[in-house]
Amino acid sequence: LREQPAARELYLLAGWQQWADAGNISSGLPEYLVDRTGARLIGELNVSSCYLFQVPGTHHFLRPEIKLVEGHRESLTKHANRFYYTESGDRGLVIFVGDEPHVDVERYAEAFFEMVKKLGVRRVVALGGVYAPSVQQDRRFSFSISLAGIGSFSPPFGGMSPTGVYR
């Protein structure tokens, strides 16, 4: 963590390059908000052990990409998990842009939530999108709740059904 936000109320919006990224909802929206708000980089997760480097036949998908210009490295693209910050008055927004881990998901989740705790975030919203058949009249949204003490949840507007409730 490079900087501890000073905002009184702090929220976090998280998105990943992941399988549940239909329409780039999970990866595109956080990147758009970072760009649009001018959010600054405040920290990164050190979780390189959560990514595969080589699997026979797929190494070109997993390895870092190096761009060479006249024999010298110009850039190195590797897995990134970054926290950005922007604020408005006494409210702050942390925007997380990450790459879904390949292995050791528990370690990755522990590192992510340790950072959430360290930042003092009040609420986390994680984004995801999946392709589904078009439904004309009965539009349903799915969500997961991980707030202790909630056994049942009735959203303030209709048409929602939880995918899971974690206690």
Side-chain angles (χ1 to χ4, degrees), residues 12-118:
L12 188 144
L13 180 76
W16 289 266
Q17 292 278 347
Q18 61 171 333
W19 72 268
D21 195 17
N24 291 343
I25 294 297
S26 186
S27 63
L29 180 59
E31 290 171 352
Y32 170 80
L33 289 174
V34 166
D35 192 46
R36 180 81 175 168
T37 64
R40 62 190 179 272
L41 181 65
I42 62 166
E44 296 182 58
L45 289 182
N46 181 13
V47 289
S48 59
S49 65
C50 296
Y51 298 99
L52 298 173
F53 181 72
Q54 182 171 332
V55 173
T58 63
H59 63 275
H60 57 287
F61 292 118
L62 303 174
R63 290 188 176 173
E65 283 185 27
I66 299 171
K67 182 178 180 185
L68 299 174
V69 175
E70 296 183 14
H72 298 281
R73 184 180 85 179
E74 183 176 277
S75 64
L76 172 66
T77 304
K78 58 183 183 171
H79 293 288
N81 293 279
R82 296 184 174 121
F83 292 87
Y84 297 87
Y85 177 70
T86 188
E87 62 191 1
S88 178
D90 60 352
R91 289 186 176 172
L93 177 65
V94 175
I95 304 166
F96 177 78
V97 181
D99 289 323
E100 181 179 41
H102 301 145
V103 294
D104 205 0
V105 176
E106 293 83 6
R107 181 184 181 295
Y108 184 95
E110 284 175 16
F112 177 81
F113 286 111
E114 183 179 310
M115 186 69 87
V116 167
K117 234 183 221 182
K118 192 181 285 188

